[in-house]
Amino acid sequence: EVRLAESGGGLVQPGGSLRLSCVAHGFTLTGNCMAWFRQKPGQGREAVAQINSDGRMTYVESVEGRFTISPDNAKNTLHLQMESLKPEDTAMYFCAADPGTCSWPYVHWGQGTQVTVSS
């Protein structure tokens, strides 16, 4: 069965940190474009961070310098380290992978993990 499974979301205070993980089952992440998206209530999905098959990373401006995307090829896992979290980072976070270029739509999606930043 091909699927992605996210974990690591939760409730955190402003300024805090979280590390999201995404384990791939049924296929190998290496060679794919991988990404983290987020979706806020009433809004579409926004690409937060992407890493292409060559290892080039890109971030949406609002998280630049605070979030880091990193693959762990040995564990077939993708991480998103989030620092200095803000209330506006509150969203459902999804990981995605695609064997082609880093462009919509992605082939594989996880079910999402909720991140809530609140005092």
Side-chain angles (χ1 to χ4, degrees), residues 28-113:
T28 302
L29 284 175
T30 305
N32 279 264
C33 177
M34 298 173 279
W36 285 96
F37 285 75
R38 67 185 178 189
Q39 186 169 19
K40 302 176 184 180
Q43 299 184 23
R45 291 188 186 184
E46 171 189 44
V48 174
Q50 298 179 110
I51 179 167
N52 69 10
S53 58
D54 294 329
R56 180 173 177 267
M57 295 173 281
T58 58
Y59 299 91
V60 68
E61 185 177 354
S62 60
V63 308
E64 188 82 48
R66 300 188 297 121
F67 289 12
T68 303
I69 187 171
S70 62
D72 182 341
N73 295 330
K75 296 182 178 180
N76 211 28
T77 298
L78 181 70
H79 297 292
L80 183 68
Q81 181 68 40
M82 306 186 292
E83 307 284 349
S84 302
L85 283 161
K86 305 175 181 180
E88 52 264 42
D89 293 319
T90 295
M92 183 72 78
Y93 283 72
F94 300 86
C95 67
D98 194 286
T101 60
C102 292
S103 59
W104 186 270
Y106 280 64
V107 173
H108 305 297
W109 288 89
Q111 293 300 305
T113 185

